[in-house]
Amino acid sequence: MFRHQVAIEPADIDHMGHVNNSVYLKWVQEAVIDYWRTVAPPDAVARHLWVALKHEISYRRPTFLQDNVVAEVIADKVEGARAYFTTVVRRGQDVLSEVKSCWCCLDAVTQRPARLAREITSRFLPPEV
């Protein structure tokens, strides 16, 4: 699991006094990309880009400006050029949201889908049972 500290900005707060739902998607994108940049070798980071294809988000509790929030990212699997992640946004022990997302790996030059080498995916996938 990878932990990404979330920054809450005043502009993230909506008319109801808590973080707008759309901001959670920004956090997930930041967290997954930060995860990639942390676990992948620098040459792989330079050669590949990620684009989100799908997010399924379940909101559990509201988030407020003063909250200390962390996004926990887990890579679930890789199939071809696609990678699947689970991101849990937490305030302490409270789960604020759970997100299942699907991403496509792209070649940074051609911007076409690209499969990652097994030695790269093994850095962030759980060991096979």
Side-chain angles (χ1 to χ4, degrees), residues 48-49 81 104-115:
H48 298 95
L49 303 172
C104 183
C105 181
L106 301 177
D107 178 281
V109 175
T110 66
Q111 295 191 359
R112 298 193 41 85
R115 292 177 182 254

Side-chain angles (χ1 to χ4, degrees), residues 87-99:
T87 305
V88 178
V89 179
R90 295 182 183 273
R91 174 184 54 233
Q93 294 301 313
D94 291 335
V95 173
L96 305 174
S97 69
E98 297 173 79
V99 183

Side-chain angles (χ1 to χ4, degrees), residues 32-51:
V32 169
I33 297 300
D34 189 26
Y35 181 34
W36 164 249
R37 289 178 179 154
T38 300
V39 300
D43 62 317
V45 171
R47 289 192 326 263
H48 298 95
L49 303 172
W50 288 94
V51 61

